[in-house]
Amino acid sequence: MSETFTVPARDLTKSGIPTLADIGERLRGGAWAFVVLGAGLLGLGLVLQAERGWGNLLLTAFNLACVGLGGLFLLAIQSITGARWSDPILKAHRAMPALLPVAGALMLLLAFGATTLYPWARPDAASHEALHGRLGWLNPPFFFGRVALIFMAWIWVGRRLTQQGKGAAPFILVFGLTFSLANFDWLMSLEPVWSSTILAIYGFSGMFLQGIAIVTISAIVLRRVGLLPAVSKAQNHDLGKLLFAFSCFWAYIFLSQFLLIWYANLPEETGPMRLLLQGRWMPLFYLNLVLNFGLPFVLLLGRKAKTSETVLLATCAILLAGRWLDLYLQIMPPVLHGLVPVFGVAELGGILLQLGLGHLACWPVFMKDANPAQELPQGG
């Protein structure tokens, strides 16, 4: 009589190897902690100094919107060009637009602080000669109505692109018009007297570089946890080349805007730039160049560096810090009326809020069609 042995199925919960569900639960708890702490610190910043609190909320909302748009723009151009190299990393592109509704809600919250941020929103705006002829366009009801319409357009065309794979060309058209308007409305009107004809393309260069950096981080991390197993050194090299190229492109647009202002030497254009080149703002001005161009250029110059996950992750972290600083230097000088820069509770709160909301919005998209019981690969 033969004896039959039954091998019991392995219990994943007792194997000692974490699963996607395990890591997702831990990350979600950490993300909520970041959101709660970040919102609390931002609220404290509003109490301590309203200008810094509202300025950092604007920075947070605009930055999150740029992350979502960066993913959509990368997805759209790859769809239009028929690119195939990026197929293994498309999940990263499709997750980023989930931040747009969150960013839209934060932008609409600024209606409660509009008079603190924007000179044209204050009750005495009509008495300022510099604002004559502009208040028909720059007034709170019309301004926040445009904010709502712009985000509705982004979300609608974005869902068509991410869920149906349609509308890449219409998205590019809508994006070009609305993103330019958003830069002029939300950032340039912080100081209505100041103007720059190249601000929209400068904003685009930073947004696109940031989008590539986040896709690169997502592709590497998701490969390591087993969600994007097809990502290889070929994709890393292509992403490294994009980071290198568009860091140079950002520097070119930065220099172009600076030279236009310097050469024209018009009082209404030179004010903000003069402020950044003096006092305690000056080190931040040069640090902006180092983070967004200098260090990435050096780190990614060699071919081998563009395939190294360690180098790519370090470079992307530097670029994301540079993007935050770039927006800080566009928003805070006019909001603080030229006072010295400060990094405190409001700034830390905004950063934590961005990190927490970013994970909460994007992780469910990463996990779509994944097996929660899948174990994490061992050895990276």
Side-chain angles (χ1 to χ4, degrees):
M1 181 176 177
S2 61
E3 188 174 358
T4 303
F5 294 94
T6 302
V7 179
R10 185 157 57 99
D11 187 350
L12 292 175
T13 62
K14 298 179 180 179
S15 66
I17 302 174
T19 64
L20 285 175
D22 296 331
I23 195 67
E25 191 64 29
R26 296 171 194 167
L27 291 174
R28 183 162 53 251
W32 274 114
F34 274 27
V35 169
V36 172
L37 181 58
L41 290 175
L42 257 181
L44 180 59
L46 282 169
V47 173
L48 295 176
Q49 188 177 1
E51 291 84 358
R52 281 178 55 210
W54 288 115
N56 278 283
L57 183 59
L58 171 59
L59 194 161
T60 297
F62 190 81
N63 207 19
L64 290 176
C66 287
V67 172
L69 291 172
L72 281 177
F73 189 81
L74 283 163
L75 190 62
I77 60 174
Q78 286 161 10
S79 174
I80 289 172
T81 59
R84 291 291 171 263
W85 69 269
S86 59
D87 286 352
I89 60 174
L90 288 182
K91 183 174 283 190
H93 298 67
R94 293 194 176 101
M96 292 157 65
L99 282 166
L100 288 174
V102 178
L106 292 179
M107 276 298 303
L108 291 175
L109 275 178
L110 293 174
F112 297 101
T115 55
T116 302
L117 285 173
Y118 298 104
W120 47 261
R122 294 165 192 159
D124 62 343
S127 63
H128 291 272
E129 185 178 350
L131 293 173
H132 288 176
R134 304 185 185 189
L135 296 181
W137 179 262
L138 293 176
N139 60 81
F142 193 24
F143 178 89
F144 287 101
R146 292 196 301 275
V147 169
L149 288 175
I150 287 173
F151 274 100
M152 288 169 60
W154 287 345
I155 293 168
W156 181 70
V157 296
R159 284 181 177 170
R160 288 195 66 206
L161 187 56
T162 56
Q163 297 176 7
Q164 304 173 24
K166 299 177 181 178
F171 168 76
I172 295 293
L173 177 62
V174 171
F175 167 81
L177 295 172
T178 54
F179 187 70
S180 299
L181 180 60
N183 275 270
F184 293 135
D185 265 6
W186 306 347
L187 299 185
M188 196 161 71
S189 73
L190 289 167
E191 192 167 357
V193 177
W194 182 71
S195 64
S196 169
T197 56
I198 204 172
L199 181 67
I201 189 65
Y202 179 69
F204 166 77
S205 66
M207 179 220 72
F208 193 46
L209 182 58
Q210 177 188 45
I212 300 167
I214 292 178
V215 166
T216 303
I217 292 175
S218 300
I220 293 172
V221 172
L222 294 178
R223 183 201 68 78
R224 291 184 175 183
V225 301
L227 285 175
L228 293 179
V231 174
S232 66
K233 284 190 175 181
Q235 278 77 37
N236 287 346
H237 187 242
D238 288 332
L239 289 168
K241 288 188 291 186
L242 284 172
L243 287 169
F244 183 83
F246 281 94
S247 175
C248 295
F249 177 70
W250 176 90
Y252 167 71
I253 301 299
F254 178 94
L255 181 63
S256 298
Q257 178 171 253
F258 180 84
L259 289 179
L260 281 172
I261 294 172
W262 174 80
Y263 181 76
N265 198 27
L266 298 174
E268 62 269 22
E269 295 182 3
T270 57
M273 197 63 67
R274 190 182 299 112
L275 175 64
L276 292 177
L277 289 172
Q278 64 186 17
R280 293 172 64 177
W281 290 98
M282 185 170 61
L284 296 180
F285 175 86
Y286 289 110
L287 180 61
N288 191 25
L289 283 170
V290 171
L291 293 178
N292 284 292
F293 172 66
L295 285 175
F297 184 87
V298 172
L299 289 172
L300 295 175
L301 195 56
R303 176 183 173 84
K304 190 175 181 180
K306 296 183 182 71
T307 62
S308 167
E309 290 188 346
T310 301
V311 174
L312 288 174
L313 288 173
T315 304
C316 291
I318 291 169
L319 285 168
L320 293 180
R323 174 60 173 167
W324 182 91
L325 178 60
D326 192 25
L327 288 175
Y328 182 87
L329 292 177
Q330 293 181 63
I331 293 171
M332 298 310 290
V335 170
L336 295 178
H337 311 294
L339 297 177
V340 296
V342 178
F343 186 91
V345 293
E347 288 73 23
L348 179 59
I351 292 171
L352 292 177
L353 193 59
Q354 290 174 59
L355 293 173
L357 291 174
H359 173 78
L360 291 174
C362 295
W363 183 256
V365 184
F366 292 150
M367 286 294 293
K368 189 178 180 180
D369 302 324
N371 176 17
Q374 176 185 328
E375 294 182 355
L376 300 187
Q378 299 302 295

